[in-house]
Amino acid sequence: MKYFLILVSCIIVVFLVSIFWQRPVENQIKGEISEVRSDMKLLSPEKYKSLFTYNGIWPAPKNQCECTKADHIHVHQLEDYIDKKDLPLMKERRQREFEHYQKRYPSMTQDLVIAKPNMPLSYPIQGVEVMPLHTIMIPGLGLHGVTEEKYQVILQASLGTLNTLADVSDDVVSGRGKKKLLILTSDVKLLNFILKHVTYTSVVYQLTAVDMMSFESKQHVAQFPVIIRQPSLPKLFDPGADRKISSLVTITTKTFLRYHKLRLLIKSIRQYYPDIKIIIADDSEVPEKIDGENVEHYIMPFGKGWFAGRNLAISQVTTKYYLWVDDDFLFTENTKIEKLLDVLERTNLDVVGGSVNGDTYSFQLLYEQGDDSGCLHLRYGSFHRLEGFPNCVVSSGVVNFFLAHTDKSRHVGYDPLLQRVAHSEFFMDGLGILLVGSCADVSIGHQDHNPASDPKLTKVEDQYKRFRTNTEAQVQFKLFLHYFKNRLKCYSTR
């Protein structure tokens, strides 16, 4: 009992002394923190927004994006174009379709991993990639600068299994062929030999996925990504031994009623490119025969539409590139397909446009993501010059005169729901897929808009305008498509 009381007394004394000495230290630390915090000020929202504003838009992560009205900026709030009684069910359908879309196209965004200071573990931070159901060795694994009586390391995966090529006993390595691999040894050189030969095997067939691996010692834990990706097969177009432009490029167009303009276009093409293939998609009510060598004329149902015709035309292209032109354009001495071809052959652009009577119509598409929907802003102009080509710029979209990679355009596609006025919508659907440029030094002419002197042609032009002119219903339908298909909240233009 006596010794017990002495022990209790000692504990109380130590506790009181520790409090006595700790309080000044705590107060000092608090004072230092307080002092530092008085100097730790963030810029005001107005200031940091002004620092990072691009073309009138603040492209920073945010929960909700918005399209703000300003001078010369036209804003469409897309819900305004939907019947209010239909909106709740439409939102539900859109969300359901978006969730399905996310399953089909999972984000490759990796979990945020912060490197710990002075960690003795070495491991790859990027670049580890494996095909589905394949096996690789994980490079760079090791433990350094630590001395322990017994070393223990645990590796853990979620979408694959682990093993090692090191020939050691099960007492040293356990969990071979499973998601968790345990290494236990007193020899650090043996440990690093085993780690150097650790393998990862993908066990689930997925096109793209990220497995965040865990690498753990007794005192430290690290994470690193293993990318599972199924490469696609290349789709190569044979340009032939001579690499003639006719072996590389097909000219495509869509026509409706205006055969007099189409024939002028073909005549101008043949003046400069006599043997290049021309593909025509035609949804006229009473089709006329288009004669000519190396001309393919495809007839569609009457009034099927602008983008449906584009889809049909490029579906028949067998060359690496196609040149899109309208049926009322005219080739001139400045319509140098070779210049546009040189740009696509020497850069990673997917589409390069020229100018129509001096107008490149190049524009930027600036996209903001919000929690429940996105905001899209169209601004005319370009992002910057295209390196190596002083007359070319990088943009998001171009005029109706462009050279494009056939396979990439097929991947994006032209939405056949858009029947009348449509153009920028192709580039909207291609945002994040198509890299686009524009070159002002390659141009094409446009046929005159003067009224036809022939009464028959006047009747044709009048009929064409009735089908071609945008209606309020068509505009409203396009905005609805942006709301549902592109999951947009608003759309602004300037």
Side-chain angles (χ1 to χ4, degrees), residues 5-127:
L5 291 174
I6 293 172
L7 178 61
V8 170
S9 301
C10 290
I11 292 173
I12 292 171
V13 170
V14 170
F15 176 71
L16 292 173
V17 169
S18 67
I19 291 177
F20 176 79
W21 286 105
Q22 187 176 356
R23 278 179 179 169
V25 174
E26 285 180 350
N27 291 336
Q28 183 181 356
I29 292 172
K30 286 178 180 177
E32 288 176 358
I33 291 174
S34 178
E35 266 183 40
V36 173
R37 285 181 177 173
S38 68
D39 296 332
M40 291 182 180
K41 296 178 181 179
L42 291 175
L43 296 172
S44 67
E46 293 76 16
K47 179 65 175 178
Y48 63 70
K49 284 184 179 181
S50 68
L51 289 175
F52 308 117
T53 296
Y54 181 85
N55 211 337
I57 299 161
W58 185 49
K62 53 181 78 75
N63 294 329
Q64 297 292 334
C65 63
E66 59 183 16
C67 300
T68 306
K69 287 186 177 181
D71 290 343
H72 309 297
I73 293 179
H74 188 62
V75 173
H76 297 281
Q77 300 296 342
L78 300 184
E79 287 189 2
D80 294 345
Y81 297 88
I82 300 168
D83 195 317
K84 299 304 179 187
K85 69 177 187 300
D86 297 331
L87 191 57
L89 287 177
M90 192 169 293
K91 280 186 174 181
E92 289 181 15
R93 293 203 310 273
R94 187 180 74 165
Q95 182 60 26
R96 190 162 54 246
E97 290 302 313
F98 181 64
E99 289 169 2
H100 185 225
Y101 172 87
Q102 288 179 308
K103 289 179 182 177
R104 293 178 58 231
Y105 302 100
S107 172
M108 290 300 291
T109 303
Q110 300 170 10
D111 294 337
L112 179 64
V113 178
I114 305 297
K116 307 292 184 182
N118 300 319
M119 182 178 288
L121 300 174
S122 65
Y123 53 93
I125 58 173
Q126 67 174 18

Side-chain angles (χ1 to χ4, degrees), residues 81 415-419 471-484:
Y81 297 88
D415 192 337
L417 290 172
L418 297 168
Q419 295 183 305
T471 64
E472 185 62 32
Q474 283 282 322
V475 172
Q476 187 162 336
F477 177 71
K478 283 202 291 186
L479 294 171
F480 160 74
L481 266 186
H482 290 321
Y483 174 81
F484 196 102

Side-chain angles (χ1 to χ4, degrees), residues 221-344:
V221 179
Q223 286 185 300
F224 61 90
V226 173
I227 307 298
I228 303 166
R229 193 194 320 269
Q230 176 61 60
S232 57
L233 291 175
K235 296 178 182 177
L236 307 180
F237 293 83
D238 185 2
D242 52 6
R243 292 189 70 84
K244 293 196 322 183
I245 195 162
S246 58
S247 301
L248 285 162
V249 178
T250 300
I251 297 176
T252 56
T253 191
K254 157 76 175 60
T255 197
F256 179 68
L257 301 175
R258 302 186 301 178
Y259 292 104
H260 57 298
K261 291 187 178 293
L262 175 64
R263 289 187 173 95
L264 284 176
L265 167 67
I266 295 173
K267 183 179 179 181
S268 72
I269 292 172
R270 289 297 178 234
Q271 183 179 349
Y272 298 97
Y273 299 97
D275 60 349
I276 199 167
K277 181 183 286 187
I278 303 170
I279 292 179
I280 304 159
D282 183 355
D283 61 347
S284 302
E285 187 172 17
V286 182
E288 296 182 13
K289 187 176 181 181
I290 301 297
D291 295 316
E293 190 175 349
N294 229 3
V295 174
E296 296 181 3
H297 185 200
Y298 294 93
I299 307 302
M300 306 166 63
F302 174 58
K304 187 64 177 175
W306 179 232
F307 268 16
R310 281 193 175 189
N311 275 334
L312 173 58
I314 68 169
S315 74
Q316 300 305 305
V317 172
T318 58
T319 52
K320 184 176 181 180
Y321 305 104
Y322 72 96
L323 182 78
W324 184 265
V325 295
D326 285 356
D327 64 352
D328 60 349
F329 286 172
L330 280 175
F331 273 54
T332 72
E333 60 184 8
N334 294 319
T335 311
K336 302 292 187 183
I337 303 176
E338 295 84 354
K339 285 188 175 182
L340 299 179
L341 181 62
D342 185 48
V343 173
L344 291 190

Side-chain angles (χ1 to χ4, degrees), residues 154-158 162 211-216 221-224:
I154 299 172
L155 285 155
Q156 191 153 355
S158 58
L162 302 167
D211 193 344
M212 288 304 299
M213 291 280 301
S214 173
F215 182 23
E216 179 180 347
V221 179
Q223 286 185 300
F224 61 90

